[in-house]
Amino acid sequence: MNNPQQNQPPLKITRFDSCDSTNRLLLSAAEAGASLGSVFVAREQVAGRGRRGREWLAAPGESLTFSLLWVFEPDPARLTGLPLVVGLSVVRALSGLSLRQVSDVQLGLKWPNDLLLARSDDTYAKVGGVLVESALRTGANGGKELAVVIGIGLNCGDSTAIKNQVLDQQVGSVTELCRDPVSPELLLNAVLDQLIVDLSSFGQHGFAPFCNAWNAVDLWQNRQVKICEQDEVLQEGCCRGVDADGALCIETLSGIKRIVSGDVSLRKV
């Protein structure tokens, strides 16, 4: 099968003033034959989704919510590091913007798909997330391919409404990183440009070339953490970042434990 990233078509952006979920809509479109590079952007989502069936909250005009369709060879095992690459792409895109940066706030990642702000008072706030879904379909050449929908949500404004609804964690905004206004449209263009580069590389080489860069922006690196599923503690130890396969590595008293399941959450001790 030919590499689907060769001779990429231009991005095709479809905009919605309001919809239930860009991921749901684009996944349906992918199953119906939508092409690589299709992008659905919504000013407002009324039923946005996050990992593990959670609701994703966004404020109209103050949040960037979009989904991108990419195509890979039908080998799901090769895609285990994809959410990590997407998060890294967002960090790279924001770092590359020509904006006056605030020195005491850092944008980084938390395994597997959270974008966080690390503040000078040693608190953390979630500023965005990634949701990856896929469907196996027949490609243009008659062979099977994996149509992957990559959903990204980023808080761009200081939405009091969102903060009042999210009670289990602190919520932050991209505006905390910069002294200049940051619009959803500005972020969309920057993130899409970086995603195209990184997804093309990931499709050819997998996660391994991104491993060191991801670990460099891992905000939980070398911290004591608990790996939990619901209320059950699965592992406890020191976070040592991710390996070349994208698995989270926890150093415990009995050695390094690799965490590969997506249905876990990190909790700093």
Side-chain angles (χ1 to χ4, degrees):
M1 179 178 177
N2 291 330
N3 189 321
Q5 273 71 51
Q6 293 177 347
N7 303 317
Q8 301 165 25
L11 297 179
K12 180 181 179 181
I13 300 178
T14 302
R15 301 178 186 274
F16 301 87
D17 186 60
S18 179
C19 71
D20 57 355
S21 162
T22 57
N23 251 45
R24 188 196 68 78
L25 290 177
L26 189 50
L27 193 60
S28 295
E31 292 172 337
S35 60
L36 163 73
S38 296
V39 181
F40 284 6
V41 186
R43 181 178 181 276
E44 177 187 39
Q45 283 191 133
V46 297
R49 295 178 292 155
R51 283 181 65 238
R52 304 169 68 182
R54 292 174 177 168
E55 181 183 12
W56 179 262
L57 300 175
E62 296 186 8
S63 301
L64 171 63
T65 51
F66 77 95
S67 299
L68 165 68
L69 173 60
W70 211 252
V71 178
F72 297 95
E73 294 185 9
D75 182 5
R78 292 188 59 199
L79 302 184
T80 53
L82 180 56
L84 282 69
V85 171
V86 175
L88 179 61
S89 292
V90 176
V91 173
R92 286 173 164 175
L94 268 64
S95 299
L97 289 175
S98 298
L99 299 169
R100 294 176 295 165
Q101 301 283 320
V102 175
S103 60
D104 59 351
V105 180
Q106 178 188 357
L107 177 65
L109 299 170
K110 177 184 130 181
W111 186 91
N113 72 333
D114 286 348
L115 292 118
L116 300 182
L117 297 179
R119 296 166 172 159
S120 58
D121 61 359
D122 201 34
T123 61
Y124 296 83
K126 185 170 180 177
V127 71
V130 175
L131 177 64
V132 175
E133 300 178 288
S134 62
L136 188 64
R137 70 180 189 182
T138 301
N141 63 357
K144 294 296 183 182
E145 62 184 19
L146 201 60
V148 178
V149 173
I150 300 163
I152 295 176
L154 284 171
N155 300 326
C156 305
D158 187 18
S159 175
T160 302
I162 293 179
K163 292 179 179 179
N164 289 340
Q165 293 181 70
V166 179
L167 304 178
D168 62 340
Q169 60 185 320
Q170 292 195 46
V171 175
S173 167
V174 173
T175 56
E176 296 182 50
L177 290 167
C178 309
R179 303 183 189 278
D180 303 300
V182 182
S183 68
E185 191 64 26
L186 175 66
L187 288 182
L188 175 66
N189 294 331
V191 172
L192 284 175
D193 286 346
Q194 187 65 52
L195 274 173
I196 291 172
V197 174
D198 290 343
L199 290 175
S200 296
S201 177
F202 177 79
Q204 296 176 36
H205 307 294
F207 178 72
F210 296 93
C211 181
N212 289 340
W214 196 96
N215 284 325
V217 292
D218 175 15
L219 296 179
W220 258 227
Q221 186 82 236
N222 300 323
R223 289 181 176 268
Q224 292 295 316
V225 297
K226 293 180 180 180
I227 308 301
C228 304
E229 184 169 4
Q230 298 179 351
D231 294 327
E232 180 183 0
V233 178
L234 304 180
Q235 295 288 347
E236 185 171 352
C238 186
C239 180
R240 298 304 188 192
V242 298
D243 62 18
D245 296 321
L248 183 68
C249 298
I250 304 297
E251 184 177 354
T252 71
L253 294 176
S254 59
I256 296 291
K257 303 296 183 183
R258 299 175 72 253
I259 309 297
V260 297
S261 170
D263 294 330
V264 298
S265 60
L266 281 173
R267 299 179 185 175
K268 187 173 62 172
V269 176

